Every structure is written in C-alpha cells, then in structure tokens.
Amino acid sequence: MMERKADAKPRSGLDVLVAGAGYVGLAAAVSLKQARPGLAIALVDAAPAGVWQRDGRASAIAAAACRMLDQLGVWAEIAPQAQAITEMIITDSRTSDPVRPVFLTFDGEVAPGEPFAHMVANRVLNGALRANAEKLGIDIIEGVAVQGFETNGAGITVHLADGATLKARLLVAADGVNSRLRDMAGIKTVKWEYGQSGIVCTVAHERPHNGRAEEHFLPAGPFATLPLKPGEDGTNRSSIVWVERSQDAEKLVAGDDLVFEHELEQRFGLKLGEIRVADKPRAWPLGLTIARAFVAPRIALAGDAAHGIHPIAGQGLNLGFKDVAALAEVIVEADRLGQDIGALDVLERYQQWRRFDTVQMGVTTDVLNRLFSNDIGPLRTVRDIGLGLVERMPRLKEFFIRQASGLSAGTPRLLKGEAI
C-alpha cells in the first residue's frame, strides 16, 4: 500500500485529536490520515510511553477487522505473527462432568482461505498500528491526560494535564470503558455489573492445538481456549479467558499457584497433554456499559468509551473496529463535501450507524451470559436443544459465522477491505 504523508500542522490547528492510543484510537487516527492526508491529526494518551509493549494478552481479530487492517497497510506485518482459528467447538457441561459432549461446531472460514478470526498478541497489533501512525506523520503525545475541554461554534479547546492547550475541530474519545471524556461531556451510561470476573492467562501445552478454539459453558461462566502462535522456542500455547464469580476469581489469581493450576486443569482437561501457566494470571470485573449517546458537540465516542460488553461472544475489540470504520467513513465523506467534520449533524450520522448494532450486541451478550452461566436444569435442557438444532442447520450456522466474522449487513467499507 502506498504511503501517503501530508505537511504537519501545529498542534494548535488540529483537525482531529484522538484521546487514547490503544488499538481503537490508533486505528481511528490512521484510517482518517490515510484517506485524507491533508487532515492534521494527533493522538494523546494518559499511559506512560512504552506501557503497551508490556501487554502480554492476545485478542481475537474477526475477518472483517483483518480486512480493515489490510486496507490500512498493517496486516502484512501482523499476519506472520497471527494464529488462524480454523475450528470452533462449543460444549455445555459442569466442571465435574467426566465427558463434555460437543453441541456445536464451526469450521473456521468465511471464504476459501479466509479464516473467520485470528488470534493476535496485543503488543503486535498495537506496534503495527503505531508504526504506521508515525509513518503517516501523526503526532503521538504520551504520558499526558486530558484535563478538560470547552467547545465553541468553530471547534474544541482541549487542556492537557501538563498545561498544554490543543485546539481541534473534532475530539475522538477512545479512552476506555471508564472514559473520563465521556463523563466530562455529560454523556450518561446504562451500566450494571455481572458479579463475574474474567481471568486471562497464557497456557503452554504438550500437543499442538491445530488452530482449534473451544468455549465451554460452565455454571459460573464460559471458559474459552483460544489458539496462539507457538512461542519463540516452539512451545505450543493457548490463551485462556476464564469467567468465574468475582470472589472466586480474586481468590484464584491471588492464591497458591498449585491451586490455580489444579482448577485450570479441571476446566482445560488433558486433551493437549500436560499444561502449565506461562504468565501471571490477571482478573478484571465484568459488566455491561453502553453510552446513552455516542456523540456530543465536537466529540465522538469510539470503542470501550462507547460500549463495554461481556466477553462471551469475543466481540468487544471488533465492535471498536466497527466504530472506527463507520466514523472514518462519515468524517471522510463530510470532509470531501467541504462540511464541518465536527458539526453535530455530521457526527449524528455516525451515531445512527453504530448505536443500534451496539445495543443489539450488548443485549445479545447479556442474554447469552444469563442463559448459560447457571446450572438450572430446565434452562440447560432448552439451551442444549437449541445448540443441537443450530448444529443441524447449515444455513443458520453460516449466518452465525458471518456475524462472528463482522461481515453482517451495513458493514462499513473499511471492514469489507475497501478504501474510503
């Protein structure tokens, strides 16, 4: 892909300021700058420089997001370090059950040779986007938080914690689920906690996973095994997302390593041979957070700042990339037409595009979690019959695969792999 650069403008004359230099913030800045090189764009991030390099987690990147990353010119760098998910199986059982019957299986392709998802190390994804942002001349200001802002008819004035002041036409808030900018803008949220926490760690195992992902629905919450690329020493590895009741999760990660490995083995099993925990397990509380509005005058929310959902469907990051693709398409079109890219009527097009899909996904993950994270006999029977029916209906399975891959109706152009 051709590298395009524009003359840098002073920070006081920015077109777009993105708050948050995670994947969503970086992708938003890169997609806008690549499509409209004349836009002056900067990123500001509260995290200290280099923190992203110590992130040991990995994320599931859906096929549509892979197409977008390819269009942004970074997938070629990421692909050699990405693990394709070639198969997905779903079971519903108790931890003590000696056998876990498979109720639903998906092969891993949305098109010949195109897996519906890849597992990518977070630091690899962040590093590739960051390198491309720097090539495009996007200024990245690290270790400084946004302290406040005020809007006027022509733009927004942003005050940083170090005393600097930036002026822009549009502020994109990609500062996470506990977004300070969302609160500063007076945007309320629909929010509740699940009483669950997600435990994340990397597991080394004796035998190869062959690209298979598994999700076991257990009474306390889902237990997902996601395939990773082998380590530099050839070690077979998988990423674990283990949902447990919060008080139990806290005890597990803070307790004895042998107890943790025993409980992990009870859920993981020995199908891949002997296992060991390859890094420090971490846990975070799970809840549902959806902003009541995705925009305010001169401000657009994206990623977790707009929505935080349960990981049961593995769609959190991919929802953020959908936000990026939709916002970029709206802003680029407005700029080509000579419209004010920060005007509320322009931003409302983005909100109309993304809000229904987000609420729908939030409700879906909420219902799935409530339906499967229990041990109620009649519910177990109903959900297992439902899974069995889906398994026997190829067209319905194909529909679910396309939904999981991010290639549903109304997909923005970047997610189709098309330029904007």
Side-chain angles (χ1 to χ4, degrees):
M1 184 171 296
M2 184 178 294
E3 180 181 320
R4 291 180 283 185
K5 296 186 179 182
D7 294 334
K9 296 182 182 179
R11 291 180 182 176
S12 60
L14 294 169
D15 294 300
V16 182
L17 177 64
V18 181
Y23 340 105
V24 170
L26 286 164
V30 168
S31 59
L32 288 169
K33 188 68 172 178
Q34 180 175 280
R36 302 296 286 170
L39 291 176
I41 300 173
L43 279 151
V44 60
D45 192 68
V51 165
W52 61 274
Q53 294 173 310
R54 298 195 291 273
D55 188 346
R57 297 170 298 168
S59 298
I61 310 297
C66 293
R67 292 182 183 186
M68 182 179 84
L69 293 169
D70 187 44
Q71 182 62 36
L72 297 182
V74 297
W75 183 247
E77 179 182 344
I78 295 170
Q81 303 175 76
Q83 171 62 53
I85 297 178
T86 58
E87 183 184 12
M88 177 80 182
I89 71 168
I90 294 174
T91 75
D92 184 12
S93 61
R94 300 177 180 88
T95 310
S96 58
D97 289 350
V99 177
R100 291 179 180 169
V102 175
F103 286 96
L104 190 55
T105 62
F106 295 105
D107 63 36
E109 292 189 338
V110 293
E114 183 181 15
F116 77 84
H118 286 78
M119 289 298 296
V120 178
N122 288 0
R123 58 177 172 267
V124 170
L125 177 59
N126 192 302
L129 285 167
R130 185 174 292 260
N132 210 26
E134 291 172 353
K135 286 180 185 177
L136 291 168
I138 297 170
D139 195 8
I140 302 177
I141 309 162
E142 297 182 284
V144 185
V146 174
Q147 195 78 10
F149 59 81
E150 59 263 357
T151 60
N152 53 51
I156 184 166
T157 301
V158 179
H159 305 286
L160 303 185
D162 63 358
T165 298
L166 309 179
K167 293 184 178 181
R169 292 197 286 161
L170 172 65
L171 173 62
V172 178
D175 56 338
V177 70
N178 297 314
S179 171
R180 291 186 63 201
L181 292 176
R182 182 185 64 214
D183 295 341
M184 291 177 194
I187 298 174
K188 304 298 183 184
T189 60
V190 175
K191 184 174 183 177
W192 59 77
E193 305 298 327
Y194 287 120
Q196 297 171 312
S197 290
I199 302 171
V200 175
C201 67
T202 300
V203 173
H205 40 82
E206 189 177 358
R207 291 192 285 273
H209 46 57
N210 296 320
R212 171 187 277 190
E214 301 186 5
E215 185 156 29
H216 304 296
F217 289 122
L218 300 170
F223 178 90
T225 305
L226 303 165
L228 295 175
K229 273 283 190 183
E232 293 181 2
D233 59 356
T235 303
N236 297 306
R237 303 181 307 143
S238 292
S239 178
I240 300 300
V241 181
W242 171 4
V243 176
E244 198 56 71
R245 295 178 184 90
S246 289
Q247 57 183 7
D248 295 331
E250 290 168 8
K251 291 178 183 176
L252 282 166
V253 298
D256 186 85
D257 291 346
L258 290 176
V259 172
F260 183 88
E261 290 204 4
H262 172 74
E263 292 295 329
L264 175 65
E265 189 176 291
Q266 291 286 100
R267 292 155 178 81
F268 192 97
L270 294 174
K271 57 191 174 296
L272 297 180
E274 293 185 7
I275 65 172
R276 63 177 175 82
V277 179
D279 59 6
K280 175 65 178 173
R282 300 182 184 278
W284 78 100
L286 302 177
L288 177 69
T289 303
I290 298 180
R292 292 186 178 274
F294 284 14
V295 300
R298 300 284 165 191
I299 298 173
L301 307 183
D304 287 350
H307 43 72
I309 65 172
H310 198 281
I312 193 168
Q315 289 298 306
L317 175 58
N318 296 295
L319 273 183
F321 280 147
K322 282 187 178 181
D323 294 343
V324 168
L327 180 62
E329 194 165 326
V330 167
I331 296 306
V332 167
E333 180 182 343
D335 191 53
R336 285 183 178 139
L337 294 173
Q339 298 173 342
D340 182 353
I341 62 172
L344 194 56
D345 61 335
V346 170
L347 299 181
E348 282 175 348
R349 297 174 207 162
Y350 160 66
Q351 175 169 261
Q352 290 170 5
W353 196 345
R354 290 298 305 132
R355 198 161 188 282
F356 176 77
D357 177 57
T358 300
V359 171
Q360 185 181 50
M361 182 59 72
V363 170
T364 299
T365 54
D366 182 75
V367 170
L368 285 173
N369 184 52
R370 295 177 190 277
L371 177 62
F372 283 94
S373 297
N374 62 73
D375 198 22
I376 301 170
L379 272 181
R380 287 178 62 88
T381 302
V382 169
R383 70 200 188 202
D384 292 348
I385 290 173
L387 289 173
L389 288 173
V390 174
E391 175 68 11
R392 291 165 177 79
M393 301 175 71
R395 288 180 180 270
L396 191 55
K397 286 177 70 173
E398 183 180 349
F399 168 78
F400 283 131
I401 288 174
R402 291 195 69 80
Q403 290 290 318
S405 69
L407 297 172
S408 54
T411 300
R413 292 174 65 182
L414 277 175
L415 292 172
K416 296 176 185 177
E418 300 172 2
I420 53 174

